[in-house]
Amino acid sequence: MTEIYEAIKRSAARIKEAIAFDDTGYSENINSTGDTQLKLDIKSDLIIEEEFAKVACIKEIVSEEKEGKTPLHGDGIYSIGYDPLDGSSLIDVNLSVGSIFGIYEGGFAGKNLKAAVYVVYGPRVELVIAHENVTLYRLNQKGEFVLIKEIKLGAKGKLNAPGATQMGWEPRHKALIDAIFADGYRLRYSGGMVPDLHQILLKGGGLFSYPATSDVPKGKLRMIFEVFPFAFVYEKAGGAAIDGKMRLLDLTPSHPHDTTPCFFGSQTEIERVKQCYAK
Ligand code: P6P
């Protein structure tokens, strides 16, 4: 697993440079989700694939930017699902974006996730590794990721990150979000999953939601590349992650790009979601 973490660190340092200085324009390509790819999406994906190709324990990879799986090493044991540059459309307004990695053994089901890693490209570049626990690293002037601290979620937080188009929310979802704000929670939502979830983790807790809506009845966020890795991070940090009823890591996608409604948060907030969606 260490070799995988080192490949991710090398990729992060290269992607940081690309974000800072490369062209942020659109390519001619459309990805499997139907998004027009930024040149940076393609470059970030190529960087990660190049670095993972050097790691013998990786059997296959699947990227949000590609339709299917890419085999790497026949004797490898790990399958990696990743989103190379999540929220990349925020780069041209200079907001933080991220890379997300799920490290699976035995296929891309939530139950097979063995570790999760994400990188935040913000005012500073930070990297979080979730294995037995959740640990924060920061890129220093020498290009090294140095250990900062372990991350733990409080039982109850203060931040609320309500995703998706509000006019598409179910009435019970709108009532839940309104009630949480009525309890004094602060709105923290940038439209970038990585910085939004990172902020809740570092600020002690709260709720991030991307529910089923009338326009995306199965949610927008992808199970393998986005949802499962962050569900793993939140659970290892002492929080919880559900689809409204079920634990997210108990789900199995039928297609690599399957999406699901998702709620990540401290235990108290997730209990409120369960009560809301039990009705
Ligand atoms: P909305 C970015 O495009 C992304 O995939 C996630 O990073 C983010 O959480 C979500 O979409 C934002 O979606 O519909 O709230 O703008």
Side-chain angles (χ1 to χ4, degrees):
M1 201 73 90
T2 307
E3 293 172 290
I4 295 174
Y5 299 152
E6 291 310 309
I8 291 171
K9 290 175 184 176
R10 294 193 302 271
S11 300
R14 293 175 63 187
I15 292 169
K16 166 190 175 276
E17 293 300 305
I19 290 169
F21 304 112
D22 282 21
D23 174 359
T24 58
Y26 282 94
S27 73
E28 312 283 306
N29 305 11
I30 307 273
N31 70 12
S32 321
T33 314
D35 301 328
T36 304
Q37 290 176 310
L38 284 169
K39 291 171 189 168
L40 274 175
D41 289 325
I42 296 168
K43 181 163 185 178
S44 303
D45 190 28
L46 287 174
I47 287 169
I48 292 167
E49 183 171 340
E50 206 173 270
E51 293 298 344
F52 279 163
K54 302 172 188 170
V55 183
C57 67
I58 302 175
K59 176 183 164 194
E60 62 187 349
I61 57 177
V62 62
S63 166
E64 194 215 23
E65 297 303 334
K66 291 194 185 75
E67 178 58 34
K69 300 173 188 175
T70 302
L72 288 185
H73 303 285
D75 296 339
I77 54 171
Y78 295 113
S79 302
I80 301 182
Y82 64 94
D83 184 352
L85 200 57
D86 184 80
S88 54
S89 58
L90 298 170
I91 292 173
D92 60 8
V93 293
N94 205 24
L95 288 179
S96 298
V97 292
S99 302
I100 313 167
F101 304 84
I103 301 164
Y104 301 81
E105 188 175 347
F108 291 107
K111 66 180 187 298
N112 293 334
L113 202 53
K114 301 302 176 200
V117 182
Y118 69 84
V119 183
V120 190
Y121 307 99
R124 303 187 289 196
V125 178
E126 295 189 331
L127 176 137
V128 170
I129 297 175
H131 190 31
E132 300 304 325
N133 57 17
V134 181
T135 312
L136 172 67
Y137 300 82
R138 188 174 295 146
L139 193 62
N140 70 10
Q141 284 171 304
K142 290 186 273 181
E144 301 153 338
F145 279 96
V146 296
L147 174 64
I148 303 297
K149 64 176 180 179
E150 183 180 348
I151 298 175
K152 295 290 281 176
L153 273 169
K156 181 180 181 299
K158 300 186 181 70
L159 304 183
N160 190 13
T165 310
Q166 298 196 20
M167 66 178 234
W169 287 353
E170 292 178 41
R172 61 181 176 174
H173 183 79
K174 181 166 178 9
L176 168 71
I177 299 300
D178 289 347
I180 290 173
F181 281 129
D183 287 346
Y185 284 68
R186 292 176 178 77
L187 170 62
R188 292 291 183 274
Y189 193 79
S190 75
M193 180 183 196
V194 175
D196 290 343
L197 283 162
H198 189 58
Q199 178 172 197
I200 290 171
L201 279 168
L202 292 187
K203 295 287 188 186
L207 178 67
F208 174 101
S209 52
Y210 204 106
T213 63
S214 51
D215 50 328
V216 280
K218 288 190 175 175
K220 173 184 182 184
L221 302 180
R222 276 68 46 151
M223 288 187 192
I224 293 174
F225 323 111
E226 297 165 324
V227 174
F228 289 163
F230 269 107
F232 190 91
V233 171
Y234 267 64
E235 287 193 357
K236 291 294 183 185
I242 61 173
D243 67 355
K245 292 185 165 62
M246 279 185 68
R247 179 173 173 260
L248 286 167
L249 289 176
D250 289 338
L251 302 178
T252 300
S254 51
H255 181 279
H257 294 270
D258 274 355
T259 61
T260 177
C262 53
F263 301 82
F264 308 88
S266 306
Q267 295 289 347
T268 303
E269 288 83 351
I270 292 297
E271 273 313 308
R272 294 183 72 161
V273 174
K274 284 179 183 170
Q275 287 161 25
C276 162
Y277 280 82
K279 294 169 198 153

